[in-house]
PDB file of all heavy atoms in Angstrom:
ATOM      1  N   GLU H   1       2.239  13.387  22.595  1.00 93.00           N
ATOM      2  CA  GLU H   1       1.829  14.352  21.586  1.00 93.00           C
ATOM      3  C   GLU H   1       2.663  14.123  20.327  1.00 93.00           C
ATOM      4  O   GLU H   1       3.859  13.868  20.407  1.00 93.00           O
ATOM      5  CB  GLU H   1       2.059  15.765  22.129  1.00 93.00           C
ATOM      6  CG  GLU H   1       1.581  16.860  21.226  1.00 93.00           C
ATOM      7  CD  GLU H   1       1.822  18.225  21.849  1.00 93.00           C
ATOM      8  OE1 GLU H   1       1.587  18.384  23.069  1.00 93.00           O
ATOM      9  OE2 GLU H   1       2.253  19.111  21.104  1.00 93.00           O
ATOM     10  N   VAL H   2       2.013  14.195  19.184  1.00 93.00           N
ATOM     11  CA  VAL H   2       2.703  14.037  17.902  1.00 93.00           C
ATOM     12  C   VAL H   2       2.570  15.349  17.140  1.00 93.00           C
ATOM     13  O   VAL H   2       1.459  15.802  16.866  1.00 93.00           O
ATOM     14  CB  VAL H   2       2.101  12.872  17.081  1.00 93.00           C
ATOM     15  CG1 VAL H   2       2.729  12.800  15.693  1.00 93.00           C
ATOM     16  CG2 VAL H   2       2.269  11.552  17.818  1.00 93.00           C
ATOM     17  N   SER H   3       3.706  15.965  16.806  1.00 93.00           N
ATOM     18  CA  SER H   3       3.666  17.242  16.085  1.00 93.00           C
ATOM     19  C   SER H   3       3.697  17.053  14.571  1.00 93.00           C
ATOM     20  O   SER H   3       3.094  17.828  13.832  1.00 93.00           O
ATOM     21  CB  SER H   3       4.804  18.155  16.528  1.00 93.00           C
ATOM     22  OG  SER H   3       6.049  17.516  16.319  1.00 93.00           O
ATOM     23  N   THR H   4       4.395  16.019  14.102  1.00 95.00           N
ATOM     24  CA  THR H   4       4.423  15.689  12.674  1.00 95.00           C
ATOM     25  C   THR H   4       4.612  14.191  12.500  1.00 95.00           C
ATOM     26  O   THR H   4       5.074  13.501  13.405  1.00 95.00           O
ATOM     27  CB  THR H   4       5.589  16.398  11.924  1.00 95.00           C
ATOM     28  OG1 THR H   4       6.831  15.945  12.461  1.00 95.00           O
ATOM     29  CG2 THR H   4       5.475  17.911  12.006  1.00 95.00           C
ATOM     30  N   MET H   5       4.253  13.726  11.308  1.00 95.00           N
ATOM     31  CA  MET H   5       4.522  12.345  10.919  1.00 95.00           C
ATOM     32  C   MET H   5       5.148  12.394   9.535  1.00 95.00           C
ATOM     33  O   MET H   5       4.656  13.096   8.654  1.00 95.00           O
ATOM     34  CB  MET H   5       3.265  11.498  10.882  1.00 95.00           C
ATOM     35  CG  MET H   5       3.532  10.083  10.381  1.00 95.00           C
ATOM     36  SD  MET H   5       2.065   9.062  10.312  1.00 95.00           S
ATOM     37  CE  MET H   5       2.009   8.557  12.022  1.00 95.00           C
ATOM     38  N   GLU H   6       6.238  11.668   9.378  1.00 96.00           N
ATOM     39  CA  GLU H   6       6.891  11.592   8.077  1.00 96.00           C
ATOM     40  C   GLU H   6       6.792  10.166   7.568  1.00 96.00           C
ATOM     41  O   GLU H   6       7.120   9.224   8.281  1.00 96.00           O
ATOM     42  CB  GLU H   6       8.352  12.016   8.177  1.00 96.00           C
ATOM     43  CG  GLU H   6       9.014  12.133   6.838  1.00 96.00           C
ATOM     44  CD  GLU H   6      10.378  12.801   6.908  1.00 96.00           C
ATOM     45  OE1 GLU H   6      10.858  13.098   8.021  1.00 96.00           O
ATOM     46  OE2 GLU H   6      10.963  13.006   5.842  1.00 96.00           O
ATOM     47  N   LEU H   7       6.313  10.025   6.342  1.00 95.00           N
ATOM     48  CA  LEU H   7       6.162   8.701   5.737  1.00 95.00           C
ATOM     49  C   LEU H   7       7.116   8.541   4.576  1.00 95.00           C
ATOM     50  O   LEU H   7       7.247   9.433   3.742  1.00 95.00           O
ATOM     51  CB  LEU H   7       4.730   8.506   5.224  1.00 95.00           C
ATOM     52  CG  LEU H   7       3.734   8.213   6.331  1.00 95.00           C
ATOM     53  CD1 LEU H   7       2.987   9.451   6.683  1.00 95.00           C
ATOM     54  CD2 LEU H   7       2.829   7.119   5.901  1.00 95.00           C
ATOM     55  N   GLU H   8       7.766   7.377   4.552  1.00 95.00           N
ATOM     56  CA  GLU H   8       8.665   7.027   3.465  1.00 95.00           C
ATOM     57  C   GLU H   8       8.142   5.749   2.818  1.00 95.00           C
ATOM     58  O   GLU H   8       7.439   4.962   3.453  1.00 95.00           O
ATOM     59  CB  GLU H   8      10.075   6.799   3.994  1.00 95.00           C
ATOM     60  CG  GLU H   8      10.698   8.025   4.633  1.00 95.00           C
ATOM     61  CD  GLU H   8      12.083   7.759   5.209  1.00 95.00           C
ATOM     62  OE1 GLU H   8      12.624   6.652   5.010  1.00 95.00           O
ATOM     63  OE2 GLU H   8      12.618   8.670   5.859  1.00 95.00           O
ATOM     64  N   HIS H   9       8.519   5.547   1.572  1.00 95.00           N
ATOM     65  CA  HIS H   9       8.147   4.318   0.871  1.00 95.00           C
ATOM     66  C   HIS H   9       9.240   3.974  -0.129  1.00 95.00           C
ATOM     67  O   HIS H   9      10.161   4.765  -0.354  1.00 95.00           O
ATOM     68  CB  HIS H   9       6.796   4.467   0.174  1.00 95.00           C
ATOM     69  CG  HIS H   9       6.836   5.262  -1.091  1.00 95.00           C
ATOM     70  ND1 HIS H   9       7.216   6.583  -1.141  1.00 95.00           N
ATOM     71  CD2 HIS H   9       6.550   4.911  -2.359  1.00 95.00           C
ATOM     72  CE1 HIS H   9       7.146   7.013  -2.393  1.00 95.00           C
ATOM     73  NE2 HIS H   9       6.753   6.022  -3.149  1.00 95.00           N
ATOM     74  N   TYR H  10       9.131   2.803  -0.699  1.00 91.00           N
ATOM     75  CA  TYR H  10      10.071   2.353  -1.714  1.00 91.00           C
ATOM     76  C   TYR H  10       9.345   2.458  -3.050  1.00 91.00           C
ATOM     77  O   TYR H  10       8.510   1.609  -3.366  1.00 91.00           O
ATOM     78  CB  TYR H  10      10.501   0.913  -1.429  1.00 91.00           C
ATOM     79  CG  TYR H  10      11.679   0.465  -2.237  1.00 91.00           C
ATOM     80  CD1 TYR H  10      12.964   0.541  -1.730  1.00 91.00           C
ATOM     81  CD2 TYR H  10      11.492  -0.053  -3.521  1.00 91.00           C
ATOM     82  CE1 TYR H  10      14.051   0.123  -2.485  1.00 91.00           C
ATOM     83  CE2 TYR H  10      12.568  -0.472  -4.274  1.00 91.00           C
ATOM     84  CZ  TYR H  10      13.840  -0.382  -3.753  1.00 91.00           C
ATOM     85  OH  TYR H  10      14.911  -0.795  -4.495  1.00 91.00           O
ATOM     86  N   PRO H  11       9.613   3.519  -3.836  1.00 93.00           N
ATOM     87  CA  PRO H  11       8.895   3.723  -5.103  1.00 93.00           C
ATOM     88  C   PRO H  11       8.970   2.492  -6.003  1.00 93.00           C
ATOM     89  O   PRO H  11      10.010   1.853  -6.132  1.00 93.00           O
ATOM     90  CB  PRO H  11       9.618   4.914  -5.734  1.00 93.00           C
ATOM     91  CG  PRO H  11      10.210   5.648  -4.572  1.00 93.00           C
ATOM     92  CD  PRO H  11      10.610   4.571  -3.592  1.00 93.00           C
ATOM     93  N   GLY H  12       7.856   2.179  -6.592  1.00 93.00           N
ATOM     94  CA  GLY H  12       7.758   0.998  -7.451  1.00 93.00           C
ATOM     95  C   GLY H  12       7.347  -0.224  -6.667  1.00 93.00           C
ATOM     96  O   GLY H  12       6.362  -0.867  -6.999  1.00 93.00           O
ATOM     97  N   MET H  13       8.070  -0.558  -5.626  1.00 94.00           N
ATOM     98  CA  MET H  13       7.739  -1.716  -4.803  1.00 94.00           C
ATOM     99  C   MET H  13       6.424  -1.487  -4.056  1.00 94.00           C
ATOM    100  O   MET H  13       5.590  -2.395  -3.964  1.00 94.00           O
ATOM    101  CB  MET H  13       8.859  -2.003  -3.805  1.00 94.00           C
ATOM    102  CG  MET H  13       8.612  -3.257  -2.982  1.00 94.00           C
ATOM    103  SD  MET H  13      10.029  -3.679  -1.945  1.00 94.00           S
ATOM    104  CE  MET H  13       9.663  -2.729  -0.498  1.00 94.00           C
ATOM    105  N   THR H  14       6.228  -0.284  -3.528  1.00 95.00           N
ATOM    106  CA  THR H  14       5.018   0.014  -2.769  1.00 95.00           C
ATOM    107  C   THR H  14       3.787  -0.092  -3.661  1.00 95.00           C
ATOM    108  O   THR H  14       2.803  -0.747  -3.304  1.00 95.00           O
ATOM    109  CB  THR H  14       5.117   1.409  -2.121  1.00 95.00           C
ATOM    110  OG1 THR H  14       6.285   1.436  -1.294  1.00 95.00           O
ATOM    111  CG2 THR H  14       3.895   1.716  -1.286  1.00 95.00           C
ATOM    112  N   GLU H  15       3.839   0.526  -4.827  1.00 96.00           N
ATOM    113  CA  GLU H  15       2.701   0.475  -5.748  1.00 96.00           C
ATOM    114  C   GLU H  15       2.407  -0.964  -6.181  1.00 96.00           C
ATOM    115  O   GLU H  15       1.236  -1.369  -6.218  1.00 96.00           O
ATOM    116  CB  GLU H  15       2.976   1.345  -6.986  1.00 96.00           C
ATOM    117  CG  GLU H  15       3.019   2.826  -6.697  1.00 96.00           C
ATOM    118  CD  GLU H  15       4.389   3.352  -6.258  1.00 96.00           C
ATOM    119  OE1 GLU H  15       5.290   2.532  -5.931  1.00 96.00           O
ATOM    120  OE2 GLU H  15       4.564   4.574  -6.238  1.00 96.00           O
ATOM    121  N   LYS H  16       3.455  -1.718  -6.477  1.00 96.00           N
ATOM    122  CA  LYS H  16       3.281  -3.115  -6.890  1.00 96.00           C
ATOM    123  C   LYS H  16       2.626  -3.933  -5.781  1.00 96.00           C
ATOM    124  O   LYS H  16       1.748  -4.761  -6.038  1.00 96.00           O
ATOM    125  CB  LYS H  16       4.641  -3.711  -7.274  1.00 96.00           C
ATOM    126  CG  LYS H  16       4.571  -5.101  -7.825  1.00 96.00           C
ATOM    127  CD  LYS H  16       5.947  -5.601  -8.246  1.00 96.00           C
ATOM    128  CE  LYS H  16       5.862  -7.025  -8.746  1.00 96.00           C
ATOM    129  NZ  LYS H  16       7.178  -7.544  -9.133  1.00 96.00           N
ATOM    130  N   SER H  17       3.036  -3.717  -4.560  1.00 94.00           N
ATOM    131  CA  SER H  17       2.465  -4.425  -3.417  1.00 94.00           C
ATOM    132  C   SER H  17       0.978  -4.112  -3.254  1.00 94.00           C
ATOM    133  O   SER H  17       0.159  -5.003  -3.023  1.00 94.00           O
ATOM    134  CB  SER H  17       3.227  -4.044  -2.147  1.00 94.00           C
ATOM    135  OG  SER H  17       2.597  -4.553  -1.006  1.00 94.00           O
ATOM    136  N   ILE H  18       0.624  -2.846  -3.393  1.00 97.00           N
ATOM    137  CA  ILE H  18      -0.775  -2.451  -3.231  1.00 97.00           C
ATOM    138  C   ILE H  18      -1.618  -2.942  -4.408  1.00 97.00           C
ATOM    139  O   ILE H  18      -2.764  -3.371  -4.227  1.00 97.00           O
ATOM    140  CB  ILE H  18      -0.893  -0.933  -3.016  1.00 97.00           C
ATOM    141  CG1 ILE H  18      -0.189  -0.545  -1.704  1.00 97.00           C
ATOM    142  CG2 ILE H  18      -2.356  -0.492  -2.985  1.00 97.00           C
ATOM    143  CD1 ILE H  18      -0.041   0.950  -1.482  1.00 97.00           C
ATOM    144  N   GLU H  19      -1.064  -2.914  -5.611  1.00 97.00           N
ATOM    145  CA  GLU H  19      -1.773  -3.472  -6.774  1.00 97.00           C
ATOM    146  C   GLU H  19      -2.098  -4.953  -6.538  1.00 97.00           C
ATOM    147  O   GLU H  19      -3.201  -5.410  -6.827  1.00 97.00           O
ATOM    148  CB  GLU H  19      -0.942  -3.316  -8.052  1.00 97.00           C
ATOM    149  CG  GLU H  19      -0.918  -1.924  -8.617  1.00 97.00           C
ATOM    150  CD  GLU H  19      -2.210  -1.507  -9.316  1.00 97.00           C
ATOM    151  OE1 GLU H  19      -3.107  -2.347  -9.546  1.00 97.00           O
ATOM    152  OE2 GLU H  19      -2.313  -0.318  -9.652  1.00 97.00           O
ATOM    153  N   ALA H  20      -1.126  -5.710  -6.018  1.00 96.00           N
ATOM    154  CA  ALA H  20      -1.351  -7.132  -5.731  1.00 96.00           C
ATOM    155  C   ALA H  20      -2.439  -7.300  -4.669  1.00 96.00           C
ATOM    156  O   ALA H  20      -3.253  -8.225  -4.740  1.00 96.00           O
ATOM    157  CB  ALA H  20      -0.048  -7.797  -5.287  1.00 96.00           C
ATOM    158  N   MET H  21      -2.455  -6.399  -3.694  1.00 95.00           N
ATOM    159  CA  MET H  21      -3.471  -6.439  -2.646  1.00 95.00           C
ATOM    160  C   MET H  21      -4.857  -6.187  -3.251  1.00 95.00           C
ATOM    161  O   MET H  21      -5.828  -6.856  -2.883  1.00 95.00           O
ATOM    162  CB  MET H  21      -3.110  -5.378  -1.608  1.00 95.00           C
ATOM    163  CG  MET H  21      -4.147  -5.067  -0.590  1.00 95.00           C
ATOM    164  SD  MET H  21      -3.672  -3.751   0.556  1.00 95.00           S
ATOM    165  CE  MET H  21      -2.681  -2.659  -0.411  1.00 95.00           C
ATOM    166  N   ILE H  22      -4.957  -5.257  -4.178  1.00 97.00           N
ATOM    167  CA  ILE H  22      -6.248  -4.990  -4.835  1.00 97.00           C
ATOM    168  C   ILE H  22      -6.660  -6.195  -5.675  1.00 97.00           C
ATOM    169  O   ILE H  22      -7.838  -6.586  -5.672  1.00 97.00           O
ATOM    170  CB  ILE H  22      -6.182  -3.697  -5.674  1.00 97.00           C
ATOM    171  CG1 ILE H  22      -6.050  -2.479  -4.749  1.00 97.00           C
ATOM    172  CG2 ILE H  22      -7.419  -3.567  -6.566  1.00 97.00           C
ATOM    173  CD1 ILE H  22      -5.807  -1.162  -5.462  1.00 97.00           C
ATOM    174  N   ASP H  23      -5.715  -6.808  -6.381  1.00 97.00           N
ATOM    175  CA  ASP H  23      -6.025  -8.025  -7.141  1.00 97.00           C
ATOM    176  C   ASP H  23      -6.596  -9.098  -6.221  1.00 97.00           C
ATOM    177  O   ASP H  23      -7.559  -9.786  -6.575  1.00 97.00           O
ATOM    178  CB  ASP H  23      -4.770  -8.562  -7.842  1.00 97.00           C
ATOM    179  CG  ASP H  23      -4.324  -7.700  -9.015  1.00 97.00           C
ATOM    180  OD1 ASP H  23      -5.115  -6.867  -9.507  1.00 97.00           O
ATOM    181  OD2 ASP H  23      -3.151  -7.859  -9.432  1.00 97.00           O
ATOM    182  N   GLU H  24      -6.004  -9.248  -5.033  1.00 96.00           N
ATOM    183  CA  GLU H  24      -6.498 -10.236  -4.068  1.00 96.00           C
ATOM    184  C   GLU H  24      -7.915  -9.893  -3.606  1.00 96.00           C
ATOM    185  O   GLU H  24      -8.772 -10.769  -3.482  1.00 96.00           O
ATOM    186  CB  GLU H  24      -5.552 -10.317  -2.868  1.00 96.00           C
ATOM    187  CG  GLU H  24      -5.972 -11.307  -1.806  1.00 96.00           C
ATOM    188  CD  GLU H  24      -5.916 -12.770  -2.228  1.00 96.00           C
ATOM    189  OE1 GLU H  24      -5.229 -13.107  -3.221  1.00 96.00           O
ATOM    190  OE2 GLU H  24      -6.577 -13.595  -1.569  1.00 96.00           O
ATOM    191  N   ALA H  25      -8.193  -8.614  -3.364  1.00 97.00           N
ATOM    192  CA  ALA H  25      -9.543  -8.191  -2.966  1.00 97.00           C
ATOM    193  C   ALA H  25     -10.543  -8.467  -4.086  1.00 97.00           C
ATOM    194  O   ALA H  25     -11.668  -8.920  -3.824  1.00 97.00           O
ATOM    195  CB  ALA H  25      -9.554  -6.709  -2.600  1.00 97.00           C
ATOM    196  N   MET H  26     -10.138  -8.221  -5.328  1.00 97.00           N
ATOM    197  CA  MET H  26     -11.024  -8.478  -6.474  1.00 97.00           C
ATOM    198  C   MET H  26     -11.343  -9.978  -6.584  1.00 97.00           C
ATOM    199  O   MET H  26     -12.451 -10.352  -6.951  1.00 97.00           O
ATOM    200  CB  MET H  26     -10.378  -7.982  -7.770  1.00 97.00           C
ATOM    201  CG  MET H  26     -10.049  -6.506  -7.813  1.00 97.00           C
ATOM    202  SD  MET H  26     -11.434  -5.401  -8.002  1.00 97.00           S
ATOM    203  CE  MET H  26     -11.829  -5.574  -9.705  1.00 97.00           C
ATOM    204  N   ALA H  27     -10.377 -10.831  -6.247  1.00 97.00           N
ATOM    205  CA  ALA H  27     -10.584 -12.277  -6.306  1.00 97.00           C
ATOM    206  C   ALA H  27     -11.455 -12.774  -5.150  1.00 97.00           C
ATOM    207  O   ALA H  27     -12.233 -13.712  -5.317  1.00 97.00           O
ATOM    208  CB  ALA H  27      -9.233 -12.998  -6.289  1.00 97.00           C
ATOM    209  N   ARG H  28     -11.339 -12.145  -3.984  1.00 96.00           N
ATOM    210  CA  ARG H  28     -12.059 -12.599  -2.793  1.00 96.00           C
ATOM    211  C   ARG H  28     -13.496 -12.090  -2.714  1.00 96.00           C
ATOM    212  O   ARG H  28     -14.349 -12.749  -2.124  1.00 96.00           O
ATOM    213  CB  ARG H  28     -11.347 -12.114  -1.525  1.00 96.00           C
ATOM    214  CG  ARG H  28     -10.105 -12.860  -1.172  1.00 96.00           C
ATOM    215  CD  ARG H  28      -9.454 -12.234   0.051  1.00 96.00           C
ATOM    216  NE  ARG H  28      -8.267 -12.969   0.425  1.00 96.00           N
ATOM    217  CZ  ARG H  28      -8.117 -13.595   1.579  1.00 96.00           C
ATOM    218  NH1 ARG H  28      -9.063 -13.563   2.494  1.00 96.00           N
ATOM    219  NH2 ARG H  28      -7.007 -14.242   1.841  1.00 96.00           N
ATOM    220  N   PHE H  29     -13.735 -10.909  -3.245  1.00 97.00           N
ATOM    221  CA  PHE H  29     -15.026 -10.246  -3.071  1.00 97.00           C
ATOM    222  C   PHE H  29     -15.606  -9.863  -4.427  1.00 97.00           C
ATOM    223  O   PHE H  29     -14.881  -9.639  -5.387  1.00 97.00           O
ATOM    224  CB  PHE H  29     -14.869  -8.982  -2.204  1.00 97.00           C
ATOM    225  CG  PHE H  29     -14.182  -9.242  -0.903  1.00 97.00           C
ATOM    226  CD1 PHE H  29     -12.827  -8.963  -0.747  1.00 97.00           C
ATOM    227  CD2 PHE H  29     -14.860  -9.809   0.167  1.00 97.00           C
ATOM    228  CE1 PHE H  29     -12.170  -9.209   0.447  1.00 97.00           C
ATOM    229  CE2 PHE H  29     -14.212 -10.074   1.365  1.00 97.00           C
ATOM    230  CZ  PHE H  29     -12.860  -9.777   1.501  1.00 97.00           C
ATOM    231  N   ASP H  30     -16.922  -9.794  -4.488  1.00 96.00           N
ATOM    232  CA  ASP H  30     -17.615  -9.431  -5.721  1.00 96.00           C
ATOM    233  C   ASP H  30     -17.666  -7.906  -5.821  1.00 96.00           C
ATOM    234  O   ASP H  30     -18.691  -7.277  -5.532  1.00 96.00           O
ATOM    235  CB  ASP H  30     -19.018 -10.044  -5.723  1.00 96.00           C
ATOM    236  CG  ASP H  30     -19.724  -9.874  -7.053  1.00 96.00           C
ATOM    237  OD1 ASP H  30     -19.055  -9.508  -8.043  1.00 96.00           O
ATOM    238  OD2 ASP H  30     -20.942 -10.096  -7.099  1.00 96.00           O
TER     239      ASP H  30
END
């Protein structure tokens, strides 16, 4: 059983990583 989930991230690095992932999707797919 899971009562809560806590998520952490590295501000700036996380957004940059996801932006790069979207750029890759834009290049791979129309």
Side-chain angles (χ1 to χ4, degrees):
E1 184 179 318
V2 174
S3 58
T4 63
M5 176 181 277
E6 188 169 5
L7 283 100
E8 298 177 6
H9 77 298
Y10 192 95
M13 184 174 88
T14 303
E15 292 87 347
K16 185 177 178 181
S17 172
I18 297 171
E19 284 285 350
M21 169 183 33
I22 291 173
D23 288 344
E24 180 67 19
M26 301 286 284
R28 284 177 178 242
F29 307 99
D30 188 13

